[in-house]
PDB file of all heavy atoms in Angstrom:
ATOM      1  N   ALA S  98      -4.973 -16.974  51.566  1.00  0.00           N
ATOM      2  CA  ALA S  98      -5.104 -18.072  52.520  1.00  0.00           C
ATOM      3  C   ALA S  98      -5.633 -19.334  51.877  1.00  0.00           C
ATOM      4  O   ALA S  98      -5.335 -20.442  52.321  1.00  0.00           O
ATOM      5  CB  ALA S  98      -6.003 -17.673  53.692  1.00  0.00           C
ATOM      6  N   HIS S 101      -2.491 -20.866  50.958  1.00  0.00           N
ATOM      7  CA  HIS S 101      -1.631 -21.154  52.129  1.00  0.00           C
ATOM      8  C   HIS S 101      -2.062 -22.395  52.879  1.00  0.00           C
ATOM      9  O   HIS S 101      -1.262 -23.225  53.253  1.00  0.00           O
ATOM     10  CB  HIS S 101      -1.529 -19.975  53.028  1.00  0.00           C
ATOM     11  CG  HIS S 101      -1.150 -18.687  52.367  1.00  0.00           C
ATOM     12  ND1 HIS S 101      -1.602 -17.443  52.798  1.00  0.00           N
ATOM     13  CD2 HIS S 101      -0.363 -18.437  51.298  1.00  0.00           C
ATOM     14  CE1 HIS S 101      -1.107 -16.507  52.056  1.00  0.00           C
ATOM     15  NE2 HIS S 101      -0.350 -17.058  51.104  1.00  0.00           N
ATOM     16  N   ARG S 117       3.618 -26.104  59.061  1.00  0.00           N
ATOM     17  CA  ARG S 117       3.104 -25.161  60.071  1.00  0.00           C
ATOM     18  C   ARG S 117       3.324 -23.729  59.646  1.00  0.00           C
ATOM     19  O   ARG S 117       2.458 -22.864  59.863  1.00  0.00           O
ATOM     20  CB  ARG S 117       3.744 -25.425  61.418  1.00  0.00           C
ATOM     21  CG  ARG S 117       3.116 -24.567  62.497  1.00  0.00           C
ATOM     22  CD  ARG S 117       3.607 -24.887  63.881  1.00  0.00           C
ATOM     23  NE  ARG S 117       2.918 -24.038  64.826  1.00  0.00           N
ATOM     24  CZ  ARG S 117       2.802 -24.348  66.089  1.00  0.00           C
ATOM     25  NH1 ARG S 117       3.296 -25.452  66.584  1.00  0.00           N
ATOM     26  NH2 ARG S 117       2.196 -23.505  66.911  1.00  0.00           N
ATOM     27  N   ASP S 118       4.420 -23.423  58.987  1.00  0.00           N
ATOM     28  CA  ASP S 118       4.707 -22.103  58.505  1.00  0.00           C
ATOM     29  C   ASP S 118       3.627 -21.665  57.518  1.00  0.00           C
ATOM     30  O   ASP S 118       3.149 -20.515  57.532  1.00  0.00           O
ATOM     31  CB  ASP S 118       6.075 -21.985  57.855  1.00  0.00           C
ATOM     32  CG  ASP S 118       7.214 -22.222  58.838  1.00  0.00           C
ATOM     33  OD1 ASP S 118       7.025 -22.024  60.067  1.00  0.00           O
ATOM     34  OD2 ASP S 118       8.285 -22.592  58.378  1.00  0.00           O
ATOM     35  N   TRP S 119       3.261 -22.538  56.587  1.00  0.00           N
ATOM     36  CA  TRP S 119       2.226 -22.250  55.606  1.00  0.00           C
ATOM     37  C   TRP S 119       0.858 -22.038  56.322  1.00  0.00           C
ATOM     38  O   TRP S 119       0.143 -21.135  55.957  1.00  0.00           O
ATOM     39  CB  TRP S 119       2.114 -23.369  54.572  1.00  0.00           C
ATOM     40  CG  TRP S 119       3.189 -23.303  53.558  1.00  0.00           C
ATOM     41  CD1 TRP S 119       4.275 -24.128  53.411  1.00  0.00           C
ATOM     42  CD2 TRP S 119       3.303 -22.350  52.514  1.00  0.00           C
ATOM     43  NE1 TRP S 119       5.035 -23.720  52.363  1.00  0.00           N
ATOM     44  CE2 TRP S 119       4.455 -22.642  51.781  1.00  0.00           C
ATOM     45  CE3 TRP S 119       2.510 -21.253  52.126  1.00  0.00           C
ATOM     46  CZ2 TRP S 119       4.899 -21.864  50.679  1.00  0.00           C
ATOM     47  CZ3 TRP S 119       2.931 -20.505  51.017  1.00  0.00           C
ATOM     48  CH2 TRP S 119       4.087 -20.835  50.338  1.00  0.00           C
ATOM     49  N   TYR S 120       0.556 -22.899  57.286  1.00  0.00           N
ATOM     50  CA  TYR S 120      -0.643 -22.710  58.087  1.00  0.00           C
ATOM     51  C   TYR S 120      -0.697 -21.356  58.747  1.00  0.00           C
ATOM     52  O   TYR S 120      -1.704 -20.633  58.641  1.00  0.00           O
ATOM     53  CB  TYR S 120      -0.767 -23.849  59.109  1.00  0.00           C
ATOM     54  CG  TYR S 120      -1.858 -23.581  60.112  1.00  0.00           C
ATOM     55  CD1 TYR S 120      -3.201 -23.823  59.779  1.00  0.00           C
ATOM     56  CD2 TYR S 120      -1.597 -23.093  61.383  1.00  0.00           C
ATOM     57  CE1 TYR S 120      -4.212 -23.559  60.690  1.00  0.00           C
ATOM     58  CE2 TYR S 120      -2.588 -22.805  62.283  1.00  0.00           C
ATOM     59  CZ  TYR S 120      -3.916 -23.065  61.950  1.00  0.00           C
ATOM     60  OH  TYR S 120      -4.909 -22.803  62.829  1.00  0.00           O
ATOM     61  N   GLU S 121       0.399 -20.973  59.404  1.00  0.00           N
ATOM     62  CA  GLU S 121       0.405 -19.681  60.088  1.00  0.00           C
ATOM     63  C   GLU S 121       0.302 -18.533  59.069  1.00  0.00           C
ATOM     64  O   GLU S 121      -0.275 -17.523  59.405  1.00  0.00           O
ATOM     65  CB  GLU S 121       1.668 -19.611  60.938  1.00  0.00           C
ATOM     66  CG  GLU S 121       1.607 -20.537  62.136  1.00  0.00           C
ATOM     67  CD  GLU S 121       2.891 -20.625  62.949  1.00  0.00           C
ATOM     68  OE1 GLU S 121       3.922 -20.002  62.564  1.00  0.00           O
ATOM     69  OE2 GLU S 121       2.862 -21.352  63.973  1.00  0.00           O
ATOM     70  N   LYS S 122       0.874 -18.621  57.929  1.00  0.00           N
ATOM     71  CA  LYS S 122       0.767 -17.626  56.891  1.00  0.00           C
ATOM     72  C   LYS S 122      -0.721 -17.469  56.493  1.00  0.00           C
ATOM     73  O   LYS S 122      -1.207 -16.366  56.291  1.00  0.00           O
ATOM     74  CB  LYS S 122       1.608 -17.965  55.695  1.00  0.00           C
ATOM     75  CG  LYS S 122       1.682 -16.896  54.646  1.00  0.00           C
ATOM     76  CD  LYS S 122       2.669 -17.247  53.528  1.00  0.00           C
ATOM     77  CE  LYS S 122       2.734 -16.103  52.523  1.00  0.00           C
ATOM     78  NZ  LYS S 122       3.717 -16.295  51.487  1.00  0.00           N
ATOM     79  N   GLY S 123      -1.388 -18.592  56.352  1.00  0.00           N
ATOM     80  CA  GLY S 123      -2.827 -18.559  56.013  1.00  0.00           C
ATOM     81  C   GLY S 123      -3.650 -17.906  57.112  1.00  0.00           C
ATOM     82  O   GLY S 123      -4.559 -17.121  56.820  1.00  0.00           O
ATOM     83  N   VAL S 124      -3.327 -18.239  58.340  1.00  0.00           N
ATOM     84  CA  VAL S 124      -4.092 -17.622  59.469  1.00  0.00           C
ATOM     85  C   VAL S 124      -3.819 -16.113  59.508  1.00  0.00           C
ATOM     86  O   VAL S 124      -4.741 -15.333  59.659  1.00  0.00           O
ATOM     87  CB  VAL S 124      -3.645 -18.274  60.795  1.00  0.00           C
ATOM     88  CG1 VAL S 124      -4.207 -17.485  62.005  1.00  0.00           C
ATOM     89  CG2 VAL S 124      -4.138 -19.726  60.840  1.00  0.00           C
ATOM     90  N   ARG S 125      -2.567 -15.688  59.346  1.00  0.00           N
ATOM     91  CA  ARG S 125      -2.237 -14.271  59.310  1.00  0.00           C
ATOM     92  C   ARG S 125      -2.963 -13.568  58.171  1.00  0.00           C
ATOM     93  O   ARG S 125      -3.495 -12.469  58.378  1.00  0.00           O
ATOM     94  CB  ARG S 125      -0.720 -14.048  59.178  1.00  0.00           C
ATOM     95  CG  ARG S 125       0.020 -14.091  60.461  1.00  0.00           C
ATOM     96  CD  ARG S 125       1.457 -13.567  60.353  1.00  0.00           C
ATOM     97  NE  ARG S 125       2.177 -14.112  59.225  1.00  0.00           N
ATOM     98  CZ  ARG S 125       2.846 -15.259  59.215  1.00  0.00           C
ATOM     99  NH1 ARG S 125       2.835 -16.030  60.302  1.00  0.00           N
ATOM    100  NH2 ARG S 125       3.472 -15.680  58.160  1.00  0.00           N
ATOM    101  N   TRP S 126      -2.976 -14.203  56.985  1.00  0.00           N
ATOM    102  CA  TRP S 126      -3.680 -13.572  55.850  1.00  0.00           C
ATOM    103  C   TRP S 126      -5.144 -13.356  56.181  1.00  0.00           C
ATOM    104  O   TRP S 126      -5.727 -12.330  55.918  1.00  0.00           O
ATOM    105  CB  TRP S 126      -3.518 -14.440  54.604  1.00  0.00           C
ATOM    106  CG  TRP S 126      -4.078 -13.765  53.396  1.00  0.00           C
ATOM    107  CD1 TRP S 126      -3.388 -13.044  52.482  1.00  0.00           C
ATOM    108  CD2 TRP S 126      -5.465 -13.745  52.968  1.00  0.00           C
ATOM    109  NE1 TRP S 126      -4.252 -12.561  51.502  1.00  0.00           N
ATOM    110  CE2 TRP S 126      -5.506 -13.009  51.778  1.00  0.00           C
ATOM    111  CE3 TRP S 126      -6.641 -14.315  53.439  1.00  0.00           C
ATOM    112  CZ2 TRP S 126      -6.722 -12.789  51.092  1.00  0.00           C
ATOM    113  CZ3 TRP S 126      -7.826 -14.102  52.775  1.00  0.00           C
ATOM    114  CH2 TRP S 126      -7.859 -13.335  51.630  1.00  0.00           C
ATOM    115  N   THR S 127      -5.756 -14.357  56.786  1.00  0.00           N
ATOM    116  CA  THR S 127      -7.168 -14.292  57.144  1.00  0.00           C
ATOM    117  C   THR S 127      -7.440 -13.186  58.172  1.00  0.00           C
ATOM    118  O   THR S 127      -8.441 -12.482  58.090  1.00  0.00           O
ATOM    119  CB  THR S 127      -7.678 -15.629  57.681  1.00  0.00           C
ATOM    120  OG1 THR S 127      -7.412 -16.666  56.699  1.00  0.00           O
ATOM    121  CG2 THR S 127      -9.149 -15.647  57.949  1.00  0.00           C
ATOM    122  N   GLU S 128      -6.502 -13.022  59.116  1.00  0.00           N
ATOM    123  CA  GLU S 128      -6.671 -11.971  60.125  1.00  0.00           C
ATOM    124  C   GLU S 128      -6.441 -10.579  59.518  1.00  0.00           C
ATOM    125  O   GLU S 128      -7.072  -9.609  59.922  1.00  0.00           O
ATOM    126  CB  GLU S 128      -5.649 -12.184  61.255  1.00  0.00           C
ATOM    127  CG  GLU S 128      -5.957 -13.390  62.106  1.00  0.00           C
ATOM    128  CD  GLU S 128      -4.836 -13.775  63.059  1.00  0.00           C
ATOM    129  OE1 GLU S 128      -3.713 -13.212  62.968  1.00  0.00           O
ATOM    130  OE2 GLU S 128      -5.095 -14.664  63.909  1.00  0.00           O
ATOM    131  N   ASP S 129      -5.543 -10.486  58.514  1.00  0.00           N
ATOM    132  CA  ASP S 129      -5.160  -9.200  57.962  1.00  0.00           C
ATOM    133  C   ASP S 129      -6.016  -8.699  56.778  1.00  0.00           C
ATOM    134  O   ASP S 129      -5.862  -7.574  56.372  1.00  0.00           O
ATOM    135  CB  ASP S 129      -3.690  -9.232  57.465  1.00  0.00           C
ATOM    136  CG  ASP S 129      -2.724  -9.423  58.674  1.00  0.00           C
ATOM    137  OD1 ASP S 129      -3.124  -9.242  59.830  1.00  0.00           O
ATOM    138  OD2 ASP S 129      -1.555  -9.765  58.377  1.00  0.00           O
ATOM    139  N   ASN S 130      -6.855  -9.574  56.244  1.00  0.00           N
ATOM    140  CA  ASN S 130      -7.605  -9.250  55.051  1.00  0.00           C
ATOM    141  C   ASN S 130      -9.086  -9.420  55.288  1.00  0.00           C
ATOM    142  O   ASN S 130      -9.508 -10.404  55.865  1.00  0.00           O
ATOM    143  CB  ASN S 130      -7.154 -10.112  53.879  1.00  0.00           C
ATOM    144  CG  ASN S 130      -5.761  -9.803  53.394  1.00  0.00           C
ATOM    145  OD1 ASN S 130      -5.565  -8.913  52.596  1.00  0.00           O
ATOM    146  ND2 ASN S 130      -4.779 -10.490  53.963  1.00  0.00           N
TER     147      ASN S 130
END
Side-chain angles (χ1 to χ4, degrees):
H101 306 149
R117 185 174 182 158
D118 295 337
W119 282 107
Y120 168 78
E121 289 173 357
K122 186 174 182 176
V124 169
R125 275 193 312 275
W126 186 95
T127 304
E128 291 169 351
D129 294 344
N130 292 273

